[in-house]
Amino acid sequence: MNEDKLSELLNDPLLKDYLALNDRLIRLVASRIAAESESVKTKLRENEPITTEPANILALCSRLMQVAELYSMLTNVTADKIYPEVIEISDFLAVFTDKCSKLLEGVCCFEYKRKDKLYADGSRDVLTYIMLSYVRQSVLDGASSILFEYGVPDGDCVITAVSKKKKTSEYEHFCDFQTVYRDDIMKTLAARIGAVYEADENGIKLTIKEKRNISEAELRAPRREYEASLFSEYNIMLGDLIKDAGL
């Protein structure tokens, strides 16, 4: 890359926002982690009990890892090849709502209306990221209950998510890149897997191509589940919102 191309790239308004907002987030989180670490050192020196600091540091690590998760998604979405999976929507939502419920117990309730099995072509990772982004923003906005539904109203698979209740938000998070450009990011990711993303004040709707050849779908459908781990996609996107995070 020559100097002119680099200068042109760095002057792109979208890239400038991406770099500036992520830089702000990284610096803020690093300073908060340093402060929590100093608090631990002080308490150890004075023989005081260590209480909220470990949970706070882990929550801040989740916040920091959101930059890497977004970067990974954006990198994959510009790849030359895509590898669509066949997703059984009922099982996917069962796992998704269960993971969210366990992680955000006492913060937000999650429901979904189970119907007949429905297969769709897509990407489990991208679909999970889109759903987690909606859950994250909804909780930050004060949602206390989120309902997921799915069906085939016009020949395509449609997944909807709606925040049913609102409460006063207890979070003080500044607008980062994934918040400022959330709809643009979600539309881009959805389009990459052949889906359509729509959002309004009530919730989101994802329209995905239904997989009609059930026998082929059953052969290709992944059987994995997301394991609970420190840096699972669930902990990365929601870890700083859990009830005991102390943030």
Side-chain angles (χ1 to χ4, degrees), residues 4-205:
D4 291 339
K5 288 185 178 180
L6 180 60
S7 177
E8 181 181 348
L9 177 65
L10 295 178
N11 282 322
D12 180 89
L14 183 62
L15 181 60
K16 289 173 73 173
D17 272 357
Y18 177 78
L19 295 174
L21 289 170
N22 282 340
D23 176 74
R24 181 186 177 193
L25 173 60
I26 291 170
R27 291 176 185 275
L28 175 63
V29 171
S31 65
R32 293 283 301 276
I33 290 176
E36 294 290 342
S37 299
E38 285 299 319
S39 177
V40 170
K41 288 166 62 177
T42 299
K43 288 185 175 182
L44 287 173
R45 187 166 54 247
E46 298 177 358
N47 291 320
E48 294 182 6
I50 297 172
T51 54
T52 61
E53 289 84 2
N56 288 348
I57 290 173
L58 289 177
L60 288 164
C61 287
S62 294
R63 191 80 172 96
L64 191 60
M65 284 295 293
Q66 288 167 24
V67 176
E69 189 75 356
L70 175 59
Y71 175 80
S72 176
M73 284 289 128
L74 294 176
T75 301
N76 291 334
V77 88
T78 59
D80 293 331
K81 295 181 180 179
I82 58 174
Y83 302 93
E85 304 171 19
V86 174
I87 305 168
E88 202 291 288
I89 302 300
S90 179
D91 287 346
F92 171 84
L93 289 177
V95 172
F96 182 85
T97 53
D98 180 64
K99 298 290 187 183
C100 289
S101 295
K102 289 178 179 177
L103 193 60
L104 295 180
E105 184 177 3
V107 175
C108 186
C109 297
F110 297 88
E111 309 172 60
Y112 90 103
K113 294 185 177 180
R114 179 182 284 275
K115 301 178 183 178
D116 293 337
K117 286 186 176 295
L118 177 62
Y119 294 90
D121 273 324
S123 163
R124 184 180 294 263
D125 289 340
V126 172
L127 184 56
T128 300
Y129 185 83
I130 291 174
M131 292 297 191
L132 286 173
S133 295
Y134 174 73
V135 169
R136 175 178 178 77
Q137 192 58 48
S138 296
V139 173
L140 286 175
D141 290 340
S144 59
S145 178
I146 300 176
L147 172 66
F148 295 89
E149 295 186 80
Y150 65 96
V152 193
D154 298 309
D156 288 326
C157 170
V158 174
I159 304 172
T160 61
V162 178
S163 299
K164 296 178 63 180
K165 299 177 183 178
K166 292 285 186 178
K167 61 183 178 181
T168 302
S169 178
E170 300 175 355
Y171 301 96
E172 296 180 358
H173 285 262
F174 67 86
C175 289
D176 54 13
F177 185 85
Q178 66 181 357
T179 301
V180 175
Y181 291 96
R182 182 176 66 256
D183 285 346
D184 291 328
I185 294 170
M186 297 306 114
K187 288 178 182 178
T188 301
L189 292 175
R192 184 60 180 171
I193 62 172
V196 176
Y197 171 92
E198 299 172 82
D200 58 29
E201 64 275 9
N202 297 316
I204 62 171
K205 180 171 78 170

